[in-house]
Amino acid sequence: MIDPSSINLHQFLTVWHGKSNQRAVIEAEVSSELPPPLLAWHTLAKQWSKPLVRNKKLLTPEEFTTKGGKIVFMTEPGDAIWGFDPESPEVVYEGRIHGDWVRLAEGFTEFLIHNAMNEAAYNAPYTKSCESVQNEHIARIVEPMTEIAFGGWHWPRPGHRIFMSESLIADIGPAMEDEEPWGDKPGFSEVQVGAITPSALHYLSNIPGTDWY
């Protein structure tokens, strides 16, 4: 496995989102009272003209809200939210708008790297998705890649993992049942793969029983 602390975030973002404008004068328009890793992310992200987080929304301090003593710093189109405790700003909490907070095993820096990779899998220059892959085929899908040893999230459901290589990145987790109560579909996974070049995805067409889109 790859240790998340060994990943250079600027280098990763450059590979997957193109070169940043490093010569630009970066004036952080965010509060210095933010947790240092979150402040560093906002400052770094300003070097790109396009948003680096698109499936979710990283809030500005002006958009922050408070729930259960935690400051909500990120949301997603469903009801998932992420927050931090001003008294322990190095800790990240995951929750739901109408649910309780759960403390994550990942620290803030690791969480932001994890989030960047999750976003890259969906917003890479070239992508392939399959909502239901037989688990027996997962080893073949991730063969060109190495797993990142993230502490793990509960969103969108527990069990998602990130794999990557120089040209591929994948987010893989339990597939969802087709009917309520929308539990895990036994024996199947959902797979999202991003790539820097279209040719890097060609091998997926040889995976049996998959319908990529």
Side-chain angles (χ1 to χ4, degrees), residues 7 12 113-121 148 150 162 164 169:
I7 296 170
F12 173 82
I113 294 172
H114 190 166
N115 189 55
M117 293 188 164
N118 168 263
E119 291 283 335
I148 313 297
F150 288 122
I162 300 285
M164 71 175 297
I169 189 163

Side-chain angles (χ1 to χ4, degrees), residues 71-208:
I71 296 176
V72 178
F73 70 90
M74 189 168 75
T75 64
E76 58 95 37
D79 67 344
I81 54 178
W82 291 265
F84 65 89
D85 187 335
E87 300 299 321
S88 301
E90 73 283 356
V91 179
V92 180
Y93 293 84
E94 181 182 325
R96 302 283 175 173
I97 294 174
H98 301 293
D100 297 326
W101 289 110
V102 176
R103 177 173 175 164
L104 295 182
E106 300 177 356
F108 228 128
T109 297
E110 181 178 332
F111 173 85
L112 291 169
I113 294 172
H114 190 166
N115 189 55
M117 293 188 164
N118 168 263
E119 291 283 335
Y122 286 86
N123 301 306
Y126 305 93
T127 61
K128 288 289 185 182
S129 305
C130 187
E131 295 180 347
S132 186
V133 177
Q134 293 182 12
N135 286 344
E136 63 189 79
H137 301 313
I138 296 301
R140 189 171 173 185
I141 292 172
V142 303
E143 185 177 5
M145 297 175 269
T146 303
E147 185 174 356
I148 313 297
F150 288 122
W153 298 350
H154 302 277
W155 177 90
R157 57 186 58 225
H160 274 251
R161 298 179 293 165
I162 300 285
F163 299 78
M164 71 175 297
S165 68
E166 292 184 357
S167 59
L168 291 165
I169 189 163
D171 187 302
I172 299 176
M176 186 171 64
E177 290 181 330
D178 299 326
E179 300 177 350
E180 291 190 68
W182 316 115
D184 292 349
K185 185 176 181 179
F188 290 84
S189 295
E190 65 174 21
V191 178
Q192 175 69 36
V193 184
I196 297 173
T197 64
S199 60
L201 296 170
H202 287 172
Y203 80 103
L204 294 176
S205 62
N206 296 321
I207 308 295

